[in-house]
Amino acid sequence: MRLLGIETSCDDTAAAVVVDGRSVESNVLASQDEFHRVYGGIVPEIASRKHAETINAVIDLALRQAGRTFVDIDGVAVTCGPGLPGSLVVGVAAAQALALARDLPAFAVNHLHGHLFANYLEDPHDPSKALPAAPFLCLVVSGGHTDLIFVEAPDRHRVIGRTLDDAAGEAYDKVARLLGLGFPGGPAIDRLAQSGDPKAFDFPRGLHRERSFSFSFSGLKTAVRYHLEAHPEDRTARLADIAASFQAAVVDALCDKTLAAAKDLGQTTIALAGGVAANSSLRHELRARASALGIRVLVPPLAYCTDNAAMIAAAAFYRGDVARVKPNELLVDPNFAW
Ligand code: KG4
Ligand code: ZN
């Protein structure tokens, strides 16, 4: 089954062609970073307008790169939420028009399911990589979410923990702004942290002592702000140490809770997903700490961690009838829950 995936939930316009939820024939992404950078964050109205300008060209390119035409496509999968309403509506309108005009099945996909099912896409660097076999635990860490999910079956997900305030990616972006590193902040902090000392400053690990699997990152962000106010000289002299210490606090909190949940639920597989799963330290630390406990960690290739449309096509394939809707029932749902 060859699906066209469409993703416009935030600031990336994306389309992809994926066969059987696994084999990626094309994965096209038009980034809007340059238009939002000057504002230090995503401006929803700009995101929506840019999606409308580029969506047709992005879909066209995805088909051409796959060497396919609409005749070869068996269905259209689109992100219906969660996300920015003005952004979602552009992808949904495009998918609806295509499904109606071409008489194709339509699939309404939850963006978070997309991140999870990125783990099912073929890894071009490791074609023999094992697929996660349910049950397993999935940590979804993105700009809007930090959710610990117990995947009982591919179509049965239970949220067992989530952030009580900022998402991990949001904390990265806000702290990057405090440090003057620009937007998006995650990759900038990740890079800078590599030349800093992660033990230089002891920033707080939110809800460290609590037995729950909830996360909290707003206290960490505030601690970095107070530190910069008390030591303005560190802004230049010790920027890399601050970045590394901040990152160590985030990664520690994510690893602690995820490994505790895996032990509690008796799970031996953890999958990572979402933009923050691209973080080099999180990938390394979680793998190292998990392997000492006999737990294996699956991580999607970098291009499938951050927002993309291949993961949306994968989610549609694996959820099948649960996601399938009549084209005129494709509706934007900005608060689409797990
Ligand atoms: O999944 P995603 O592309 O979009 C959402 O669904 O939110 O995640 C974007 C988030 C941003 O907050 C970005 O700063 C963060 O992922 N991010 C990273 C890295 N790459 C992207 N955070 C830490 N380290 C990275 N290498
Ligand atoms: Zn995302």
Side-chain angles (χ1 to χ4, degrees), residues 7 9-10 111-112 115 142-143 274-275 305-308 311:
E7 154 64 40
S9 68
C10 194
H111 181 79
L112 299 165
H115 278 305
S142 69
C305 289
T306 43
D307 288 350
N308 66 87
M311 69 183 196

Side-chain angles (χ1 to χ4, degrees), residues 76 78 92-93 95-108 324-331:
V76 182
V78 64
V92 168
Q96 198 164 45
L98 286 174
L100 284 168
R102 296 273 166 186
D103 197 20
L104 289 169
F107 297 86
R324 194 168 164 161
V325 295
K326 296 199 177 75
N328 59 358
E329 288 170 353
L330 272 178
L331 293 173

Side-chain angles (χ1 to χ4, degrees), residues 155-175:
D155 62 351
R156 221 173 42 246
H157 311 141
R158 189 149 56 89
V159 182
I160 58 162
R162 56 165 42 123
T163 182
L164 302 182
D165 39 58
D166 290 347
E170 187 181 358
Y172 263 97
D173 293 335
K174 286 177 175 171
V175 167

